[in-house]
Amino acid sequence: MKIDVLTLFPKMFNALSYSITGRALEKGLLSLTVTDIRQFSKNKHKKCDDYPYGGGSGMVMSVQPLYDVAKFIDAGHKAHRIYLSPKGKRLDQQTVIRLSEMPRLMLICGRYEGVDQRAIDLLADEEISIGDYVLTGGELPAMVLIDSVSRHIPNV
């Protein structure tokens, strides 16, 4: 299985190089590519946040860098794209098994007050939540999803 992760904090995913996921990566049973969204920002300061298009408080992740990185990584939209969000469908064992049967996943990790809804509409095939609470970003939920899905890959 191939998993692509889009994040502002790629070093967080170093934690997956241990234990079962680490062995799956070493054996080539799991392929994990983590891409820094900032590399795709056209802003001279590599800024990836902006005010919500429809107004409101806080900042959201901008459409431009997310759209560009997704198109670069998965131009043909072959990956099943998941935005990790507290508003998404609750991750359960049935969903984990369904996702483990897919050849490729792309996980979109939000930050700030979330992701501009236009980016979600353009890019995400589904939204998944790991629970009814708010975290600082989508990285921890992505790692939970990767860990749970990888356990269902044959020979892991």
Side-chain angles (χ1 to χ4, degrees), residues 83-154:
Y83 169 52
L84 288 305
S85 162
K87 296 185 295 187
K89 177 185 180 260
R90 173 84 53 100
L91 183 65
D92 59 19
Q93 191 64 15
Q94 183 179 348
T95 303
V96 166
I97 292 168
R98 175 177 58 85
L99 295 175
S100 73
E101 295 168 350
M102 296 182 176
R104 186 171 179 193
L105 301 175
M106 177 184 281
L107 308 180
I108 303 166
C109 301
R111 276 280 158 166
Y112 315 114
E113 296 294 320
V115 171
D116 187 309
Q117 186 62 45
R118 296 172 295 172
I120 297 167
D121 293 344
L122 285 168
L123 301 173
D125 295 316
E126 72 178 305
E127 290 184 52
I128 292 181
S129 169
I130 63 165
D132 292 333
Y133 45 88
V134 178
L135 297 168
T136 55
E139 290 80 13
L140 292 173
M143 286 188 266
V144 167
L145 190 146
I146 292 166
D147 184 83
S148 61
V149 165
S150 67
R151 296 176 61 83
H152 293 279
I153 298 171

Side-chain angles (χ1 to χ4, degrees), residues 1-122:
M1 167 179 271
K2 177 168 179 44
I3 300 177
D4 294 291
V5 179
L6 312 182
T7 178
L8 293 174
F9 298 97
K11 289 182 181 178
M12 289 181 72
F13 290 86
N14 293 342
L16 294 173
S17 63
Y18 300 96
S19 189
I20 292 173
T21 53
R23 288 192 297 274
L25 290 165
E26 284 176 13
K27 292 178 183 176
L29 301 171
L30 175 64
S31 169
L32 180 65
T33 303
V34 182
T35 304
D36 186 348
I37 297 165
R38 286 186 203 284
Q39 295 175 352
F40 291 83
S41 175
K42 292 181 180 173
N43 179 283
K44 70 179 182 176
H45 302 293
K46 298 299 181 191
K47 184 177 163 189
C48 292
D49 63 332
D50 204 351
Y51 295 101
Y53 182 72
S57 62
M59 302 290 272
V60 295
M61 289 183 69
S62 305
V63 176
Q64 177 273 311
L66 280 170
Y67 182 81
D68 288 353
V69 68
K71 291 300 178 186
F72 179 79
I73 299 293
D74 183 32
H77 198 141
K78 292 186 167 83
H80 183 72
R81 298 176 180 180
I82 300 167
Y83 169 52
L84 288 305
S85 162
K87 296 185 295 187
K89 177 185 180 260
R90 173 84 53 100
L91 183 65
D92 59 19
Q93 191 64 15
Q94 183 179 348
T95 303
V96 166
I97 292 168
R98 175 177 58 85
L99 295 175
S100 73
E101 295 168 350
M102 296 182 176
R104 186 171 179 193
L105 301 175
M106 177 184 281
L107 308 180
I108 303 166
C109 301
R111 276 280 158 166
Y112 315 114
E113 296 294 320
V115 171
D116 187 309
Q117 186 62 45
R118 296 172 295 172
I120 297 167
D121 293 344
L122 285 168

